[in-house]
Amino acid sequence: MSEITPDEQLQKMRDDWDQRARENARYYVATGTTEWTDEDFFASGEKNVAEQILNDMENICQEKSPGEMRVLEIGCGAGRVTRALAKVFGEVHGVDVSGEMVRHAALALQDRPNAFVYQNNGKDLTVVPAVEFDFAFSSIVFQHIPSREVIENYVREVQRLLRPGALFKFQVQGNIAVRSQPDDTWLGVPFSERQATEMAHRCGFDPRYRHGAGQQYFWLWFFKR
Ligand SMILES: C[S@@+](CC[C@H](N)C(=O)[O-])C[C@H]1O[C@@H](n2cnc3c(N)ncnc32)[C@H](O)[C@@H]1O
């Protein structure tokens, strides 16, 4: 097991993702191709939103109108999903540990005045305005984080910012055979159903639904108590 302090690990997440963003941001965000066109890249974000959000509006909106909702995205990358979210919801705020990714996202969102992106420290949401959010989302981000503590800290931070009853829908690595190393910022720590459920309870959430346990795309629906 490689030795690395929590601060070194955060630094490594930032450096590695900045490096990936410089090399080919869109490929590392969505590895389907190394040569994304603008059209296809953003269409893939729209597809994710259609598959994860538009078909789940009852849980997400809870009778609020989407245009009046403020949404938070953890790990916005190059703005692929953020852009699609900004077409649906009133206000979208995204954070990412990589300043290079955030630079790409800001360019992608130039014509979306209701979308805001911030570089954060890789573990909390102190850069985000301390206002109440109606929904939080994260996809293909925690599967890359090699620290259970960092992921749980994000869950706690999202709980701090959500209004009571609101949903945090997110994906983690569910294949517990994955061997994550503390200095590997590509293969994140896996969660079993039990680990996910216990984390929800510790962080003040009701873990109401889950889908894909045991698989890479393990989706969790945590409702703020
Ligand atoms: C595979 S990309 C996905 C981006 C976006 N969610 C999407 O689907 O288009 C993973 C993103 O997570 C970000 N990331 C990795 N570790 C992070 C951390 N500890 N805190 C915040 N963002 C992180 C990376 O910089 C990268 O932009």
Side-chain angles (χ1 to χ4, degrees), residues 117-170:
V117 282
Y118 317 87
Q119 180 183 5
N120 79 337
N121 57 12
K123 66 172 182 181
D124 69 34
L125 300 172
T126 49
V127 292
V128 177
V131 289
E132 211 169 54
F133 284 80
D134 301 295
F135 172 56
F137 184 72
S138 185
S139 171
I140 53 172
V141 174
F142 292 167
Q143 67 168 23
H144 295 296
I145 297 184
S147 159
R148 218 170 273 290
E149 291 71 29
V150 167
I151 295 172
E152 182 153 336
N153 201 57
Y154 271 130
V155 174
R156 221 176 279 283
E157 280 285 272
V158 170
Q159 199 271 359
R160 174 174 68 81
L161 292 175
L162 282 182
R163 65 168 170 71
L167 172 64
F168 180 24
K169 181 172 184 177
F170 63 103

Short mmCIF file of all heavy atoms in Angstrom, two decimals, residues 117-170:
data_model
loop_
_atom_site.label_atom_id
_atom_site.label_comp_id
_atom_site.label_asym_id
_atom_site.label_seq_id
_atom_site.Cartn_x
_atom_site.Cartn_y
_atom_site.Cartn_z
N VAL A 117 -19.44 27.79 -12.35
CA VAL A 117 -18.51 26.70 -12.03
C VAL A 117 -17.35 27.23 -11.19
O VAL A 117 -16.91 28.38 -11.35
CB VAL A 117 -17.98 26.01 -13.31
CG1 VAL A 117 -19.01 25.06 -13.88
CG2 VAL A 117 -17.53 27.00 -14.37
N TYR A 118 -16.88 26.38 -10.30
CA TYR A 118 -15.84 26.78 -9.35
C TYR A 118 -14.80 25.66 -9.23
O TYR A 118 -15.16 24.48 -9.20
CB TYR A 118 -16.40 26.97 -7.94
CG TYR A 118 -17.73 27.69 -7.86
CD1 TYR A 118 -18.93 26.98 -7.98
CD2 TYR A 118 -17.79 29.06 -7.66
CE1 TYR A 118 -20.14 27.63 -7.92
CE2 TYR A 118 -19.01 29.72 -7.58
CZ TYR A 118 -20.18 29.00 -7.72
OH TYR A 118 -21.39 29.65 -7.66
N GLN A 119 -13.54 26.05 -9.08
CA GLN A 119 -12.53 25.05 -8.69
C GLN A 119 -12.59 24.94 -7.17
O GLN A 119 -12.57 25.95 -6.47
CB GLN A 119 -11.14 25.50 -9.13
CG GLN A 119 -10.09 24.47 -8.73
CD GLN A 119 -8.66 24.90 -9.06
OE1 GLN A 119 -8.43 26.02 -9.53
NE2 GLN A 119 -7.73 24.01 -8.82
N ASN A 120 -12.67 23.72 -6.67
CA ASN A 120 -12.68 23.55 -5.22
C ASN A 120 -11.41 22.81 -4.77
O ASN A 120 -10.52 22.53 -5.58
CB ASN A 120 -13.97 22.87 -4.74
CG ASN A 120 -13.94 21.36 -4.95
OD1 ASN A 120 -13.22 20.86 -5.79
ND2 ASN A 120 -14.73 20.65 -4.18
N ASN A 121 -11.34 22.52 -3.48
CA ASN A 121 -10.14 21.90 -2.92
C ASN A 121 -10.15 20.37 -2.99
O ASN A 121 -9.29 19.71 -2.44
CB ASN A 121 -9.95 22.35 -1.46
CG ASN A 121 -11.19 22.00 -0.62
OD1 ASN A 121 -12.06 21.26 -1.05
ND2 ASN A 121 -11.25 22.56 0.59
N GLY A 122 -11.15 19.81 -3.64
CA GLY A 122 -11.20 18.35 -3.81
C GLY A 122 -11.87 17.62 -2.68
O GLY A 122 -11.97 16.38 -2.73
N LYS A 123 -12.37 18.36 -1.68
CA LYS A 123 -13.00 17.64 -0.57
C LYS A 123 -14.22 18.33 0.06
O LYS A 123 -14.98 17.69 0.76
CB LYS A 123 -11.97 17.37 0.53
CG LYS A 123 -11.47 18.64 1.20
CD LYS A 123 -10.59 18.34 2.40
CE LYS A 123 -10.15 19.63 3.05
NZ LYS A 123 -9.31 19.49 4.18
N ASP A 124 -14.39 19.63 -0.17
CA ASP A 124 -15.58 20.25 0.43
C ASP A 124 -16.21 21.28 -0.52
O ASP A 124 -15.75 21.47 -1.65
CB ASP A 124 -15.27 20.83 1.82
CG ASP A 124 -14.36 22.04 1.77
OD1 ASP A 124 -14.45 22.84 0.82
OD2 ASP A 124 -13.55 22.20 2.71
N LEU A 125 -17.28 21.94 -0.04
CA LEU A 125 -18.06 22.83 -0.90
C LEU A 125 -18.03 24.27 -0.39
O LEU A 125 -18.98 25.03 -0.60
CB LEU A 125 -19.50 22.30 -1.00
CG LEU A 125 -19.60 20.89 -1.58
CD1 LEU A 125 -21.03 20.35 -1.47
CD2 LEU A 125 -19.15 20.88 -3.05
N THR A 126 -16.93 24.63 0.27
CA THR A 126 -16.85 25.98 0.83
C THR A 126 -16.77 27.05 -0.26
O THR A 126 -17.05 28.21 0.02
CB THR A 126 -15.67 26.11 1.81
OG1 THR A 126 -14.51 25.58 1.16
CG2 THR A 126 -15.90 25.36 3.10
N VAL A 127 -16.40 26.68 -1.49
CA VAL A 127 -16.35 27.69 -2.57
C VAL A 127 -17.75 28.03 -3.11
O VAL A 127 -17.91 29.02 -3.81
CB VAL A 127 -15.50 27.25 -3.80
CG1 VAL A 127 -14.05 27.16 -3.46
CG2 VAL A 127 -16.01 25.98 -4.43
N VAL A 128 -18.72 27.18 -2.78
CA VAL A 128 -20.07 27.38 -3.31
C VAL A 128 -20.81 28.38 -2.41
O VAL A 128 -20.66 28.31 -1.19
CB VAL A 128 -20.83 26.02 -3.31
CG1 VAL A 128 -22.27 26.17 -3.79
CG2 VAL A 128 -20.08 25.01 -4.17
N PRO A 129 -21.59 29.31 -2.98
CA PRO A 129 -22.34 30.23 -2.11
C PRO A 129 -23.19 29.44 -1.11
O PRO A 129 -23.78 28.42 -1.46
CB PRO A 129 -23.26 30.99 -3.09
CG PRO A 129 -22.67 30.77 -4.44
CD PRO A 129 -21.84 29.52 -4.41
N ALA A 130 -23.22 29.90 0.12
CA ALA A 130 -23.93 29.18 1.18
C ALA A 130 -25.43 29.48 1.09
O ALA A 130 -26.01 30.14 1.96
CB ALA A 130 -23.37 29.55 2.55
N VAL A 131 -26.04 29.01 0.02
CA VAL A 131 -27.48 29.19 -0.19
C VAL A 131 -28.10 27.81 -0.25
O VAL A 131 -27.39 26.81 -0.38
CB VAL A 131 -27.76 29.96 -1.51
CG1 VAL A 131 -27.35 31.41 -1.37
CG2 VAL A 131 -27.02 29.31 -2.68
N GLU A 132 -29.44 27.75 -0.20
CA GLU A 132 -30.08 26.44 -0.17
C GLU A 132 -30.24 25.86 -1.58
O GLU A 132 -30.67 26.57 -2.50
CB GLU A 132 -31.45 26.58 0.50
CG GLU A 132 -31.86 25.34 1.23
CD GLU A 132 -33.08 25.60 2.11
OE1 GLU A 132 -34.11 26.09 1.60
OE2 GLU A 132 -33.01 25.29 3.30
N PHE A 133 -29.90 24.59 -1.74
CA PHE A 133 -30.04 23.91 -3.03
C PHE A 133 -31.23 22.94 -2.98
O PHE A 133 -31.56 22.39 -1.93
CB PHE A 133 -28.75 23.15 -3.37
CG PHE A 133 -27.65 24.07 -3.84
CD1 PHE A 133 -26.89 24.79 -2.94
CD2 PHE A 133 -27.41 24.24 -5.20
CE1 PHE A 133 -25.89 25.66 -3.38
CE2 PHE A 133 -26.42 25.10 -5.65
CZ PHE A 133 -25.66 25.82 -4.73
N ASP A 134 -31.85 22.72 -4.17
CA ASP A 134 -33.04 21.87 -4.25
C ASP A 134 -32.73 20.46 -4.73
O ASP A 134 -33.57 19.56 -4.63
CB ASP A 134 -34.04 22.49 -5.24
CG ASP A 134 -34.45 23.88 -4.81
OD1 ASP A 134 -35.08 24.00 -3.75
OD2 ASP A 134 -34.11 24.86 -5.51
N PHE A 135 -31.53 20.27 -5.31
CA PHE A 135 -31.16 18.96 -5.85
C PHE A 135 -29.65 18.96 -6.05
O PHE A 135 -29.06 19.99 -6.39
CB PHE A 135 -31.87 18.75 -7.21
CG PHE A 135 -31.43 17.53 -7.98
CD1 PHE A 135 -31.49 16.25 -7.41
CD2 PHE A 135 -30.95 17.65 -9.28
CE1 PHE A 135 -31.07 15.13 -8.12
CE2 PHE A 135 -30.54 16.53 -10.00
CZ PHE A 135 -30.59 15.27 -9.42
N ALA A 136 -29.02 17.78 -5.79
CA ALA A 136 -27.58 17.66 -6.07
C ALA A 136 -27.35 16.37 -6.85
O ALA A 136 -28.06 15.37 -6.67
CB ALA A 136 -26.79 17.65 -4.76
N PHE A 137 -26.33 16.42 -7.71
CA PHE A 137 -26.09 15.32 -8.65
C PHE A 137 -24.60 15.11 -8.83
O PHE A 137 -23.82 16.07 -8.80
CB PHE A 137 -26.72 15.70 -10.00
CG PHE A 137 -26.66 14.62 -11.05
CD1 PHE A 137 -27.45 13.49 -10.96
CD2 PHE A 137 -25.78 14.75 -12.13
CE1 PHE A 137 -27.40 12.50 -11.94
CE2 PHE A 137 -25.73 13.76 -13.11
CZ PHE A 137 -26.52 12.63 -13.01
N SER A 138 -24.19 13.85 -9.00
CA SER A 138 -22.79 13.58 -9.33
C SER A 138 -22.71 12.26 -10.07
O SER A 138 -23.20 11.24 -9.60
CB SER A 138 -21.93 13.54 -8.06
OG SER A 138 -20.57 13.38 -8.42
N SER A 139 -22.06 12.29 -11.22
CA SER A 139 -21.96 11.09 -12.06
C SER A 139 -20.53 10.93 -12.55
O SER A 139 -19.90 11.91 -12.99
CB SER A 139 -22.94 11.28 -13.23
OG SER A 139 -22.75 10.27 -14.17
N ILE A 140 -20.03 9.70 -12.51
CA ILE A 140 -18.66 9.32 -12.87
C ILE A 140 -17.58 10.24 -12.26
O ILE A 140 -16.63 10.61 -12.92
CB ILE A 140 -18.47 9.11 -14.41
CG1 ILE A 140 -18.94 10.29 -15.24
CG2 ILE A 140 -19.16 7.83 -14.85
CD1 ILE A 140 -18.57 10.16 -16.74
N VAL A 141 -17.75 10.54 -10.98
CA VAL A 141 -16.77 11.35 -10.24
C VAL A 141 -16.26 10.57 -9.02
O VAL A 141 -15.05 10.32 -8.90
CB VAL A 141 -17.40 12.69 -9.79
CG1 VAL A 141 -16.45 13.48 -8.91
CG2 VAL A 141 -17.83 13.50 -11.00
N PHE A 142 -17.16 10.13 -8.16
CA PHE A 142 -16.72 9.41 -6.95
C PHE A 142 -16.05 8.09 -7.32
O PHE A 142 -15.23 7.58 -6.55
CB PHE A 142 -17.91 9.16 -6.00
CG PHE A 142 -18.46 10.42 -5.37
CD1 PHE A 142 -19.68 10.41 -4.70
CD2 PHE A 142 -17.76 11.62 -5.41
CE1 PHE A 142 -20.20 11.56 -4.11
CE2 PHE A 142 -18.27 12.78 -4.83
CZ PHE A 142 -19.50 12.74 -4.18
N GLN A 143 -16.37 7.56 -8.51
CA GLN A 143 -15.71 6.30 -8.93
C GLN A 143 -14.21 6.51 -9.16
O GLN A 143 -13.47 5.55 -9.31
CB GLN A 143 -16.36 5.76 -10.19
CG GLN A 143 -16.15 6.64 -11.43
CD GLN A 143 -16.55 5.95 -12.73
OE1 GLN A 143 -17.34 5.03 -12.75
NE2 GLN A 143 -15.98 6.40 -13.84
N HIS A 144 -13.78 7.79 -9.19
CA HIS A 144 -12.35 8.08 -9.37
C HIS A 144 -11.67 8.51 -8.07
O HIS A 144 -10.46 8.75 -8.07
CB HIS A 144 -12.17 9.21 -10.39
CG HIS A 144 -12.62 8.85 -11.78
ND1 HIS A 144 -12.01 7.87 -12.53
CD2 HIS A 144 -13.62 9.34 -12.56
CE1 HIS A 144 -12.62 7.78 -13.72
NE2 HIS A 144 -13.60 8.65 -13.75
N ILE A 145 -12.40 8.67 -7.00
CA ILE A 145 -11.81 9.22 -5.76
C ILE A 145 -11.30 8.08 -4.87
O ILE A 145 -12.08 7.23 -4.44
CB ILE A 145 -12.82 10.14 -5.02
CG1 ILE A 145 -13.17 11.34 -5.90
CG2 ILE A 145 -12.27 10.58 -3.67
CD1 ILE A 145 -14.08 12.38 -5.26
N PRO A 146 -9.98 8.09 -4.58
CA PRO A 146 -9.39 6.95 -3.86
C PRO A 146 -9.50 7.05 -2.34
O PRO A 146 -8.71 6.43 -1.64
CB PRO A 146 -7.92 7.00 -4.31
CG PRO A 146 -7.66 8.45 -4.54
CD PRO A 146 -8.94 9.06 -5.00
N SER A 147 -10.46 7.83 -1.84
CA SER A 147 -10.56 8.02 -0.39
C SER A 147 -12.02 7.99 0.04
O SER A 147 -12.84 8.83 -0.39
CB SER A 147 -9.95 9.37 0.01
OG SER A 147 -10.44 9.79 1.26
N ARG A 148 -12.33 7.05 0.92
CA ARG A 148 -13.67 6.96 1.49
C ARG A 148 -14.01 8.22 2.29
O ARG A 148 -15.14 8.70 2.30
CB ARG A 148 -13.70 5.75 2.42
CG ARG A 148 -14.94 4.95 2.40
CD ARG A 148 -14.76 3.66 3.17
NE ARG A 148 -14.22 2.61 2.32
CZ ARG A 148 -14.89 2.03 1.34
NH1 ARG A 148 -16.14 2.37 1.08
NH2 ARG A 148 -14.33 1.11 0.59
N GLU A 149 -12.99 8.76 2.99
CA GLU A 149 -13.20 9.95 3.83
C GLU A 149 -13.60 11.15 2.97
O GLU A 149 -14.47 11.94 3.33
CB GLU A 149 -11.93 10.30 4.62
CG GLU A 149 -11.55 9.31 5.71
CD GLU A 149 -11.02 7.98 5.17
OE1 GLU A 149 -10.44 7.97 4.06
OE2 GLU A 149 -11.21 6.94 5.84
N VAL A 150 -12.92 11.31 1.82
CA VAL A 150 -13.23 12.44 0.94
C VAL A 150 -14.66 12.32 0.40
O VAL A 150 -15.43 13.28 0.40
CB VAL A 150 -12.20 12.54 -0.22
CG1 VAL A 150 -12.68 13.51 -1.30
CG2 VAL A 150 -10.84 12.98 0.33
N ILE A 151 -15.03 11.12 -0.02
CA ILE A 151 -16.39 10.93 -0.56
C ILE A 151 -17.43 11.22 0.54
O ILE A 151 -18.40 11.94 0.34
CB ILE A 151 -16.55 9.50 -1.13
CG1 ILE A 151 -15.64 9.34 -2.35
CG2 ILE A 151 -18.02 9.22 -1.49
CD1 ILE A 151 -15.54 7.93 -2.90
N GLU A 152 -17.17 10.69 1.73
CA GLU A 152 -18.13 10.92 2.83
C GLU A 152 -18.19 12.39 3.19
O GLU A 152 -19.26 12.91 3.53
CB GLU A 152 -17.77 10.05 4.05
CG GLU A 152 -18.78 10.25 5.17
CD GLU A 152 -18.91 9.05 6.10
OE1 GLU A 152 -18.60 7.92 5.71
OE2 GLU A 152 -19.34 9.30 7.24
N ASN A 153 -17.06 13.06 3.10
CA ASN A 153 -17.08 14.50 3.39
C ASN A 153 -17.95 15.26 2.39
O ASN A 153 -18.68 16.19 2.75
CB ASN A 153 -15.65 15.06 3.39
CG ASN A 153 -15.58 16.35 4.16
OD1 ASN A 153 -15.93 16.40 5.34
ND2 ASN A 153 -15.19 17.42 3.49
N TYR A 154 -17.89 14.85 1.11
CA TYR A 154 -18.78 15.48 0.12
C TYR A 154 -20.24 15.21 0.45
O TYR A 154 -21.09 16.10 0.32
CB TYR A 154 -18.48 14.93 -1.28
CG TYR A 154 -17.40 15.70 -2.03
CD1 TYR A 154 -16.32 15.04 -2.62
CD2 TYR A 154 -17.47 17.08 -2.16
CE1 TYR A 154 -15.34 15.75 -3.30
CE2 TYR A 154 -16.50 17.80 -2.84
CZ TYR A 154 -15.44 17.12 -3.41
OH TYR A 154 -14.49 17.82 -4.08
N VAL A 155 -20.54 14.00 0.87
CA VAL A 155 -21.94 13.66 1.18
C VAL A 155 -22.42 14.56 2.34
O VAL A 155 -23.52 15.12 2.32
CB VAL A 155 -22.07 12.16 1.52
CG1 VAL A 155 -23.48 11.83 1.99
CG2 VAL A 155 -21.72 11.30 0.29
N ARG A 156 -21.54 14.75 3.32
CA ARG A 156 -21.87 15.61 4.47
C ARG A 156 -22.06 17.07 4.03
O ARG A 156 -22.95 17.78 4.48
CB ARG A 156 -20.71 15.54 5.46
CG ARG A 156 -21.10 15.47 6.90
CD ARG A 156 -19.86 15.31 7.78
NE ARG A 156 -19.41 13.93 7.83
CZ ARG A 156 -19.98 12.99 8.55
NH1 ARG A 156 -21.04 13.26 9.28
NH2 ARG A 156 -19.52 11.76 8.54
N GLU A 157 -21.18 17.50 3.12
CA GLU A 157 -21.24 18.87 2.62
C GLU A 157 -22.51 19.10 1.80
O GLU A 157 -23.13 20.16 1.89
CB GLU A 157 -20.00 19.15 1.75
CG GLU A 157 -18.76 19.48 2.56
CD GLU A 157 -18.87 20.88 3.11
OE1 GLU A 157 -18.46 21.83 2.42
OE2 GLU A 157 -19.38 21.03 4.25
N VAL A 158 -22.88 18.13 1.00
CA VAL A 158 -24.12 18.26 0.21
C VAL A 158 -25.30 18.35 1.17
O VAL A 158 -26.20 19.18 1.00
CB VAL A 158 -24.28 17.06 -0.77
CG1 VAL A 158 -25.66 17.07 -1.39
CG2 VAL A 158 -23.21 17.12 -1.86
N GLN A 159 -25.26 17.56 2.21
CA GLN A 159 -26.34 17.58 3.22
C GLN A 159 -26.46 18.99 3.81
O GLN A 159 -27.55 19.50 4.02
CB GLN A 159 -26.05 16.54 4.31
CG GLN A 159 -27.24 16.13 5.15
CD GLN A 159 -27.42 17.01 6.37
OE1 GLN A 159 -26.64 17.94 6.61
NE2 GLN A 159 -28.45 16.74 7.14
N ARG A 160 -25.31 19.63 4.04
CA ARG A 160 -25.31 20.99 4.61
C ARG A 160 -26.04 21.97 3.68
O ARG A 160 -26.75 22.86 4.14
CB ARG A 160 -23.85 21.43 4.83
CG ARG A 160 -23.66 22.86 5.28
CD ARG A 160 -22.21 23.18 5.62
NE ARG A 160 -21.29 23.17 4.50
CZ ARG A 160 -21.11 24.17 3.63
NH1 ARG A 160 -21.84 25.27 3.75
NH2 ARG A 160 -20.23 24.07 2.64
N LEU A 161 -25.89 21.79 2.37
CA LEU A 161 -26.41 22.78 1.43
C LEU A 161 -27.82 22.49 0.91
O LEU A 161 -28.48 23.40 0.40
CB LEU A 161 -25.45 22.92 0.23
CG LEU A 161 -24.09 23.55 0.56
CD1 LEU A 161 -23.18 23.53 -0.68
CD2 LEU A 161 -24.25 24.99 1.05
N LEU A 162 -28.26 21.24 1.01
CA LEU A 162 -29.60 20.91 0.49
C LEU A 162 -30.70 21.38 1.44
O LEU A 162 -30.50 21.40 2.66
CB LEU A 162 -29.76 19.40 0.32
CG LEU A 162 -29.12 18.73 -0.90
CD1 LEU A 162 -29.46 17.23 -0.89
CD2 LEU A 162 -29.56 19.36 -2.20
N ARG A 163 -31.87 21.67 0.85
CA ARG A 163 -33.02 21.96 1.73
C ARG A 163 -33.54 20.63 2.27
O ARG A 163 -33.36 19.58 1.62
CB ARG A 163 -34.11 22.73 0.97
CG ARG A 163 -34.75 21.96 -0.12
CD ARG A 163 -36.00 22.61 -0.67
NE ARG A 163 -36.40 21.93 -1.87
CZ ARG A 163 -36.92 20.70 -1.92
NH1 ARG A 163 -37.13 20.01 -0.80
NH2 ARG A 163 -37.23 20.15 -3.08
N PRO A 164 -34.18 20.64 3.44
CA PRO A 164 -34.70 19.39 4.00
C PRO A 164 -35.62 18.67 3.00
O PRO A 164 -36.43 19.31 2.32
CB PRO A 164 -35.48 19.84 5.23
CG PRO A 164 -34.85 21.14 5.61
CD PRO A 164 -34.41 21.79 4.32
N GLY A 165 -35.44 17.35 2.89
CA GLY A 165 -36.27 16.55 1.98
C GLY A 165 -35.67 16.41 0.59
O GLY A 165 -36.07 15.52 -0.17
N ALA A 166 -34.74 17.29 0.23
CA ALA A 166 -34.21 17.28 -1.15
C ALA A 166 -33.30 16.08 -1.39
O ALA A 166 -32.78 15.46 -0.47
CB ALA A 166 -33.45 18.58 -1.42
N LEU A 167 -33.12 15.78 -2.67
CA LEU A 167 -32.41 14.57 -3.11
C LEU A 167 -30.97 14.85 -3.54
O LEU A 167 -30.71 15.82 -4.26
CB LEU A 167 -33.17 13.97 -4.31
CG LEU A 167 -32.52 12.80 -5.06
CD1 LEU A 167 -32.37 11.57 -4.16
CD2 LEU A 167 -33.33 12.45 -6.30
N PHE A 168 -30.06 13.99 -3.10
CA PHE A 168 -28.72 13.90 -3.67
C PHE A 168 -28.66 12.57 -4.41
O PHE A 168 -28.70 11.50 -3.79
CB PHE A 168 -27.66 13.96 -2.56
CG PHE A 168 -26.22 13.88 -3.06
CD1 PHE A 168 -25.87 14.25 -4.34
CD2 PHE A 168 -25.21 13.45 -2.21
CE1 PHE A 168 -24.56 14.19 -4.79
CE2 PHE A 168 -23.88 13.38 -2.64
CZ PHE A 168 -23.56 13.75 -3.94
N LYS A 169 -28.63 12.64 -5.74
CA LYS A 169 -28.56 11.43 -6.56
C LYS A 169 -27.14 11.33 -7.11
O LYS A 169 -26.67 12.26 -7.77
CB LYS A 169 -29.58 11.52 -7.70
CG LYS A 169 -29.60 10.28 -8.59
CD LYS A 169 -30.76 10.33 -9.57
CE LYS A 169 -30.83 9.05 -10.39
NZ LYS A 169 -31.99 9.05 -11.29
N PHE A 170 -26.47 10.23 -6.83
CA PHE A 170 -25.07 10.14 -7.25
C PHE A 170 -24.65 8.70 -7.50
O PHE A 170 -25.30 7.76 -7.05
CB PHE A 170 -24.15 10.82 -6.23
CG PHE A 170 -24.12 10.20 -4.85
CD1 PHE A 170 -23.05 9.39 -4.46
CD2 PHE A 170 -25.14 10.43 -3.94
CE1 PHE A 170 -23.00 8.83 -3.19
CE2 PHE A 170 -25.11 9.86 -2.68
CZ PHE A 170 -24.04 9.06 -2.29
#
